[in-house]
PDB file of all heavy atoms in Angstrom:
ATOM      1  N   VAL A   1      22.291   8.638   0.274  1.00 91.00           N
ATOM      2  CA  VAL A   1      22.325   8.454   1.730  1.00 91.00           C
ATOM      3  C   VAL A   1      22.909   7.090   2.009  1.00 91.00           C
ATOM      4  O   VAL A   1      22.412   6.056   1.712  1.00 91.00           O
ATOM      5  CB  VAL A   1      20.875   8.505   2.265  1.00 91.00           C
ATOM      6  CG1 VAL A   1      20.865   8.387   3.882  1.00 91.00           C
ATOM      7  CG2 VAL A   1      20.201   9.800   1.891  1.00 91.00           C
ATOM      8  N   GLU A   2      24.055   7.090   2.685  1.00 92.00           N
ATOM      9  CA  GLU A   2      24.788   5.824   2.917  1.00 92.00           C
ATOM     10  C   GLU A   2      24.509   5.394   4.423  1.00 92.00           C
ATOM     11  O   GLU A   2      24.678   6.151   5.271  1.00 92.00           O
ATOM     12  CB  GLU A   2      26.299   6.031   2.715  1.00 92.00           C
ATOM     13  CG  GLU A   2      26.693   6.348   1.372  1.00 92.00           C
ATOM     14  CD  GLU A   2      28.158   6.751   1.164  1.00 92.00           C
ATOM     15  OE1 GLU A   2      28.570   7.577   1.930  1.00 92.00           O
ATOM     16  OE2 GLU A   2      28.813   6.319   0.148  1.00 92.00           O
ATOM     17  N   CYS A   3      24.022   4.201   4.514  1.00 93.00           N
ATOM     18  CA  CYS A   3      23.525   3.674   5.776  1.00 93.00           C
ATOM     19  C   CYS A   3      24.241   2.488   6.302  1.00 93.00           C
ATOM     20  O   CYS A   3      24.637   1.588   5.448  1.00 93.00           O
ATOM     21  CB  CYS A   3      21.983   3.408   5.735  1.00 93.00           C
ATOM     22  SG  CYS A   3      21.041   4.663   4.920  1.00 93.00           S
ATOM     23  N   ASP A   4      24.351   2.261   7.611  1.00 90.00           N
ATOM     24  CA  ASP A   4      25.036   1.241   8.197  1.00 90.00           C
ATOM     25  C   ASP A   4      24.324  -0.183   8.004  1.00 90.00           C
ATOM     26  O   ASP A   4      24.918  -1.171   7.734  1.00 90.00           O
ATOM     27  CB  ASP A   4      25.247   1.402   9.713  1.00 90.00           C
ATOM     28  CG  ASP A   4      26.084   2.544  10.011  1.00 90.00           C
ATOM     29  OD1 ASP A   4      27.045   2.844   9.167  1.00 90.00           O
ATOM     30  OD2 ASP A   4      26.095   3.153  11.064  1.00 90.00           O
ATOM     31  N   GLY A   5      22.897  -0.058   8.004  1.00 89.00           N
ATOM     32  CA  GLY A   5      22.095  -1.273   7.819  1.00 89.00           C
ATOM     33  C   GLY A   5      20.686  -0.940   7.714  1.00 89.00           C
ATOM     34  O   GLY A   5      20.357   0.292   7.644  1.00 89.00           O
ATOM     35  N   GLU A   6      19.827  -1.858   7.817  1.00 91.00           N
ATOM     36  CA  GLU A   6      18.323  -1.651   7.554  1.00 91.00           C
ATOM     37  C   GLU A   6      17.775  -0.653   8.610  1.00 91.00           C
ATOM     38  O   GLU A   6      16.999   0.222   8.268  1.00 91.00           O
ATOM     39  CB  GLU A   6      17.528  -2.981   7.466  1.00 91.00           C
ATOM     40  CG  GLU A   6      17.809  -3.798   6.261  1.00 91.00           C
ATOM     41  CD  GLU A   6      18.987  -4.631   6.138  1.00 91.00           C
ATOM     42  OE1 GLU A   6      19.753  -4.535   7.193  1.00 91.00           O
ATOM     43  OE2 GLU A   6      19.226  -5.342   5.144  1.00 91.00           O
ATOM     44  N   ASP A   7      18.134  -0.999   9.889  1.00 90.00           N
ATOM     45  CA  ASP A   7      17.596   0.012  10.908  1.00 90.00           C
ATOM     46  C   ASP A   7      18.090   1.389  10.652  1.00 90.00           C
ATOM     47  O   ASP A   7      17.177   2.398  10.801  1.00 90.00           O
ATOM     48  CB  ASP A   7      18.075  -0.447  12.301  1.00 90.00           C
ATOM     49  CG  ASP A   7      17.186  -1.682  12.829  1.00 90.00           C
ATOM     50  OD1 ASP A   7      17.038  -2.592  12.130  1.00 90.00           O
ATOM     51  OD2 ASP A   7      16.800  -1.511  13.999  1.00 90.00           O
ATOM     52  N   HIS A   8      19.307   1.652  10.441  1.00 93.00           N
ATOM     53  CA  HIS A   8      19.902   2.934  10.209  1.00 93.00           C
ATOM     54  C   HIS A   8      19.157   3.594   8.972  1.00 93.00           C
ATOM     55  O   HIS A   8      18.827   4.775   8.977  1.00 93.00           O
ATOM     56  CB  HIS A   8      21.316   2.925  10.039  1.00 93.00           C
ATOM     57  CG  HIS A   8      22.029   4.173   9.970  1.00 93.00           C
ATOM     58  ND1 HIS A   8      23.148   4.425   9.177  1.00 93.00           N
ATOM     59  CD2 HIS A   8      21.750   5.351  10.433  1.00 93.00           C
ATOM     60  CE1 HIS A   8      23.547   5.655   9.252  1.00 93.00           C
ATOM     61  NE2 HIS A   8      22.720   6.286  10.091  1.00 93.00           N
ATOM     62  N   GLU A   9      18.956   2.799   7.850  1.00 94.00           N
ATOM     63  CA  GLU A   9      18.392   3.256   6.695  1.00 94.00           C
ATOM     64  C   GLU A   9      16.882   3.883   7.048  1.00 94.00           C
ATOM     65  O   GLU A   9      16.516   4.874   6.536  1.00 94.00           O
ATOM     66  CB  GLU A   9      18.241   2.195   5.660  1.00 94.00           C
ATOM     67  CG  GLU A   9      17.547   2.630   4.384  1.00 94.00           C
ATOM     68  CD  GLU A   9      17.537   1.590   3.238  1.00 94.00           C
ATOM     69  OE1 GLU A   9      17.066   0.391   3.707  1.00 94.00           O
ATOM     70  OE2 GLU A   9      17.924   1.834   2.195  1.00 94.00           O
ATOM     71  N   ALA A  10      16.148   3.039   7.678  1.00 93.00           N
ATOM     72  CA  ALA A  10      14.749   3.431   8.162  1.00 93.00           C
ATOM     73  C   ALA A  10      14.720   4.667   9.000  1.00 93.00           C
ATOM     74  O   ALA A  10      13.949   5.576   8.876  1.00 93.00           O
ATOM     75  CB  ALA A  10      14.038   2.314   8.834  1.00 93.00           C
ATOM     76  N   GLU A  11      15.810   4.753   9.949  1.00 93.00           N
ATOM     77  CA  GLU A  11      15.811   6.029  10.777  1.00 93.00           C
ATOM     78  C   GLU A  11      16.117   7.239   9.904  1.00 93.00           C
ATOM     79  O   GLU A  11      15.622   8.266  10.173  1.00 93.00           O
ATOM     80  CB  GLU A  11      16.926   5.789  11.829  1.00 93.00           C
ATOM     81  CG  GLU A  11      16.585   4.797  12.876  1.00 93.00           C
ATOM     82  CD  GLU A  11      17.793   4.315  13.752  1.00 93.00           C
ATOM     83  OE1 GLU A  11      18.832   4.840  13.517  1.00 93.00           O
ATOM     84  OE2 GLU A  11      17.595   3.483  14.756  1.00 93.00           O
ATOM     85  N   ARG A  12      17.026   7.103   8.938  1.00 93.00           N
ATOM     86  CA  ARG A  12      17.409   8.228   8.113  1.00 93.00           C
ATOM     87  C   ARG A  12      16.330   8.531   7.180  1.00 93.00           C
ATOM     88  O   ARG A  12      16.031   9.850   6.918  1.00 93.00           O
ATOM     89  CB  ARG A  12      18.667   7.882   7.269  1.00 93.00           C
ATOM     90  CG  ARG A  12      19.880   7.799   8.198  1.00 93.00           C
ATOM     91  CD  ARG A  12      21.217   7.792   7.498  1.00 93.00           C
ATOM     92  NE  ARG A  12      21.487   9.031   6.966  1.00 93.00           N
ATOM     93  CZ  ARG A  12      22.715   9.424   6.512  1.00 93.00           C
ATOM     94  NH1 ARG A  12      23.643   8.467   6.467  1.00 93.00           N
ATOM     95  NH2 ARG A  12      22.972  10.593   6.122  1.00 93.00           N
ATOM     96  N   ALA A  13      15.456   7.610   6.835  1.00 94.00           N
ATOM     97  CA  ALA A  13      14.248   8.019   6.003  1.00 94.00           C
ATOM     98  C   ALA A  13      13.254   8.744   6.798  1.00 94.00           C
ATOM     99  O   ALA A  13      12.720   9.808   6.263  1.00 94.00           O
ATOM    100  CB  ALA A  13      13.659   6.706   5.476  1.00 94.00           C
ATOM    101  N   VAL A  14      13.054   8.353   8.109  1.00 94.00           N
ATOM    102  CA  VAL A  14      12.198   9.155   9.000  1.00 94.00           C
ATOM    103  C   VAL A  14      12.808  10.598   9.196  1.00 94.00           C
ATOM    104  O   VAL A  14      11.976  11.571   9.100  1.00 94.00           O
ATOM    105  CB  VAL A  14      12.061   8.423  10.383  1.00 94.00           C
ATOM    106  CG1 VAL A  14      11.546   9.420  11.370  1.00 94.00           C
ATOM    107  CG2 VAL A  14      11.262   7.186  10.184  1.00 94.00           C
ATOM    108  N   ALA A  15      14.097  10.633   9.344  1.00 92.00           N
ATOM    109  CA  ALA A  15      14.757  11.975   9.514  1.00 92.00           C
ATOM    110  C   ALA A  15      14.559  12.829   8.309  1.00 92.00           C
ATOM    111  O   ALA A  15      14.335  14.047   8.393  1.00 92.00           O
ATOM    112  CB  ALA A  15      16.225  11.805   9.843  1.00 92.00           C
ATOM    113  N   PHE A  16      14.710  12.174   7.081  1.00 93.00           N
ATOM    114  CA  PHE A  16      14.529  12.917   5.832  1.00 93.00           C
ATOM    115  C   PHE A  16      13.102  13.497   5.767  1.00 93.00           C
ATOM    116  O   PHE A  16      12.958  14.705   5.363  1.00 93.00           O
ATOM    117  CB  PHE A  16      14.635  11.932   4.672  1.00 93.00           C
ATOM    118  CG  PHE A  16      14.356  12.362   3.292  1.00 93.00           C
ATOM    119  CD1 PHE A  16      15.229  13.199   2.621  1.00 93.00           C
ATOM    120  CD2 PHE A  16      13.164  12.020   2.723  1.00 93.00           C
ATOM    121  CE1 PHE A  16      14.966  13.637   1.295  1.00 93.00           C
ATOM    122  CE2 PHE A  16      12.785  12.511   1.399  1.00 93.00           C
ATOM    123  CZ  PHE A  16      13.709  13.223   0.785  1.00 93.00           C
ATOM    124  N   ILE A  17      12.093  12.786   6.153  1.00 93.00           N
ATOM    125  CA  ILE A  17      10.714  13.322   6.204  1.00 93.00           C
ATOM    126  C   ILE A  17      10.574  14.308   7.148  1.00 93.00           C
ATOM    127  O   ILE A  17      10.008  15.367   6.906  1.00 93.00           O
ATOM    128  CB  ILE A  17       9.657  12.050   6.544  1.00 93.00           C
ATOM    129  CG1 ILE A  17       9.638  11.003   5.277  1.00 93.00           C
ATOM    130  CG2 ILE A  17       8.221  12.603   6.756  1.00 93.00           C
ATOM    131  CD1 ILE A  17       9.053   9.727   5.799  1.00 93.00           C
ATOM    132  N   GLN A  18      11.057  14.195   8.354  1.00 91.00           N
ATOM    133  CA  GLN A  18      11.025  15.224   9.436  1.00 91.00           C
ATOM    134  C   GLN A  18      11.722  16.487   9.048  1.00 91.00           C
ATOM    135  O   GLN A  18      11.207  17.578   9.310  1.00 91.00           O
ATOM    136  CB  GLN A  18      11.444  14.654  10.769  1.00 91.00           C
ATOM    137  CG  GLN A  18      10.655  13.562  11.384  1.00 91.00           C
ATOM    138  CD  GLN A  18      11.226  12.926  12.541  1.00 91.00           C
ATOM    139  OE1 GLN A  18      12.579  12.782  12.672  1.00 91.00           O
ATOM    140  NE2 GLN A  18      10.472  12.502  13.489  1.00 91.00           N
ATOM    141  N   ALA A  19      12.839  16.328   8.435  1.00 90.00           N
ATOM    142  CA  ALA A  19      13.618  17.608   8.072  1.00 90.00           C
ATOM    143  C   ALA A  19      12.833  18.409   6.973  1.00 90.00           C
ATOM    144  O   ALA A  19      12.813  19.581   7.065  1.00 90.00           O
ATOM    145  CB  ALA A  19      15.000  17.131   7.558  1.00 90.00           C
ATOM    146  N   ILE A  20      12.403  17.738   5.977  1.00 91.00           N
ATOM    147  CA  ILE A  20      11.567  18.458   4.954  1.00 91.00           C
ATOM    148  C   ILE A  20      10.329  18.975   5.470  1.00 91.00           C
ATOM    149  O   ILE A  20       9.903  20.092   5.146  1.00 91.00           O
ATOM    150  CB  ILE A  20      11.286  17.505   3.758  1.00 91.00           C
ATOM    151  CG1 ILE A  20      12.701  17.198   3.031  1.00 91.00           C
ATOM    152  CG2 ILE A  20      10.326  18.184   2.734  1.00 91.00           C
ATOM    153  CD1 ILE A  20      12.542  16.334   1.865  1.00 91.00           C
ATOM    154  N   ARG A  21       9.594  18.287   6.399  1.00 88.00           N
ATOM    155  CA  ARG A  21       8.350  18.800   7.054  1.00 88.00           C
ATOM    156  C   ARG A  21       8.802  20.073   7.882  1.00 88.00           C
ATOM    157  O   ARG A  21       8.094  21.050   7.810  1.00 88.00           O
ATOM    158  CB  ARG A  21       7.870  17.733   7.973  1.00 88.00           C
ATOM    159  CG  ARG A  21       7.169  16.694   7.157  1.00 88.00           C
ATOM    160  CD  ARG A  21       5.665  16.707   7.237  1.00 88.00           C
ATOM    161  NE  ARG A  21       5.206  16.767   8.598  1.00 88.00           N
ATOM    162  CZ  ARG A  21       3.950  17.159   8.924  1.00 88.00           C
ATOM    163  NH1 ARG A  21       3.143  17.600   7.980  1.00 88.00           N
ATOM    164  NH2 ARG A  21       3.559  17.227  10.091  1.00 88.00           N
ATOM    165  N   ALA A  22       9.953  20.028   8.620  1.00 84.00           N
ATOM    166  CA  ALA A  22      10.295  21.104   9.509  1.00 84.00           C
ATOM    167  C   ALA A  22      10.645  22.420   8.604  1.00 84.00           C
ATOM    168  O   ALA A  22      10.250  23.437   8.868  1.00 84.00           O
ATOM    169  CB  ALA A  22      11.467  20.781  10.371  1.00 84.00           C
ATOM    170  N   ARG A  23      11.302  22.099   7.492  1.00 80.00           N
ATOM    171  CA  ARG A  23      11.712  23.131   6.527  1.00 80.00           C
ATOM    172  C   ARG A  23      10.333  23.796   5.975  1.00 80.00           C
ATOM    173  O   ARG A  23      10.340  25.005   5.764  1.00 80.00           O
ATOM    174  CB  ARG A  23      12.560  22.606   5.411  1.00 80.00           C
ATOM    175  CG  ARG A  23      13.239  23.690   4.547  1.00 80.00           C
ATOM    176  CD  ARG A  23      14.137  22.969   3.566  1.00 80.00           C
ATOM    177  NE  ARG A  23      13.459  22.092   2.698  1.00 80.00           N
ATOM    178  CZ  ARG A  23      14.183  21.227   1.887  1.00 80.00           C
ATOM    179  NH1 ARG A  23      15.503  21.149   1.921  1.00 80.00           N
ATOM    180  NH2 ARG A  23      13.424  20.590   1.019  1.00 80.00           N
ATOM    181  N   GLY A  24       9.434  22.953   5.652  1.00 69.00           N
ATOM    182  CA  GLY A  24       8.201  23.411   5.129  1.00 69.00           C
ATOM    183  C   GLY A  24       7.392  24.283   6.126  1.00 69.00           C
ATOM    184  O   GLY A  24       6.847  25.304   5.758  1.00 69.00           O
ATOM    185  N   VAL A  25       7.426  23.936   7.334  1.00 54.00           N
ATOM    186  CA  VAL A  25       6.855  24.689   8.476  1.00 54.00           C
ATOM    187  C   VAL A  25       7.552  26.003   8.594  1.00 54.00           C
ATOM    188  O   VAL A  25       6.887  27.117   8.649  1.00 54.00           O
ATOM    189  CB  VAL A  25       6.843  23.930   9.789  1.00 54.00           C
ATOM    190  CG1 VAL A  25       6.549  24.831  10.930  1.00 54.00           C
ATOM    191  CG2 VAL A  25       5.882  22.715   9.747  1.00 54.00           C
ATOM    192  N   GLU A  26       8.785  26.075   8.601  1.00 49.00           N
ATOM    193  CA  GLU A  26       9.559  27.350   8.616  1.00 49.00           C
ATOM    194  C   GLU A  26       9.182  28.219   7.416  1.00 49.00           C
ATOM    195  O   GLU A  26       9.005  29.383   7.580  1.00 49.00           O
ATOM    196  CB  GLU A  26      11.089  26.942   8.561  1.00 49.00           C
ATOM    197  CG  GLU A  26      11.933  28.226   8.659  1.00 49.00           C
ATOM    198  CD  GLU A  26      13.456  27.823   8.426  1.00 49.00           C
ATOM    199  OE1 GLU A  26      13.759  26.840   7.673  1.00 49.00           O
ATOM    200  OE2 GLU A  26      14.310  28.571   9.018  1.00 49.00           O
ATOM    201  N   SER A  27       9.202  27.547   6.258  1.00 50.00           N
ATOM    202  CA  SER A  27       8.911  28.295   5.028  1.00 50.00           C
ATOM    203  C   SER A  27       7.464  28.860   5.136  1.00 50.00           C
ATOM    204  O   SER A  27       7.265  30.041   4.718  1.00 50.00           O
ATOM    205  CB  SER A  27       8.979  27.423   3.824  1.00 50.00           C
ATOM    206  OG  SER A  27       8.545  28.064   2.648  1.00 50.00           O
ATOM    207  N   ALA A  28       6.557  28.067   5.600  1.00 44.00           N
ATOM    208  CA  ALA A  28       5.205  28.599   5.717  1.00 44.00           C
ATOM    209  C   ALA A  28       5.073  29.597   6.731  1.00 44.00           C
ATOM    210  O   ALA A  28       4.253  30.560   6.529  1.00 44.00           O
ATOM    211  CB  ALA A  28       4.263  27.378   6.117  1.00 44.00           C
ATOM    212  N   GLY A  29       5.860  29.591   7.780  1.00 45.00           N
ATOM    213  CA  GLY A  29       5.826  30.706   8.748  1.00 45.00           C
ATOM    214  C   GLY A  29       6.352  31.986   8.224  1.00 45.00           C
ATOM    215  O   GLY A  29       5.798  33.082   8.414  1.00 45.00           O
ATOM    216  N   ALA A  30       7.469  31.887   7.383  1.00 44.00           N
ATOM    217  CA  ALA A  30       8.015  33.080   6.891  1.00 44.00           C
ATOM    218  C   ALA A  30       7.229  33.662   5.729  1.00 44.00           C
ATOM    219  O   ALA A  30       7.211  34.920   5.494  1.00 44.00           O
ATOM    220  CB  ALA A  30       9.465  32.701   6.335  1.00 44.00           C
TER     221      ALA A  30
END
């Protein structure tokens, strides 16, 4: 994950968590 700076890095880490959580919810639903 290539980031512009510390703020961007933290935002992408949050997005990483949200994406895997969303995928988990989708998987659990299916």
Side-chain angles (χ1 to χ4, degrees):
V1 184
E2 296 169 321
C3 310
D4 294 333
E6 285 84 357
D7 277 50
H8 187 213
E9 178 178 50
E11 288 166 2
R12 294 193 73 170
V14 167
F16 173 79
I17 292 167
Q18 291 171 327
I20 291 177
R21 289 253 306 161
R23 189 173 66 192
V25 169
E26 179 189 30
S27 171

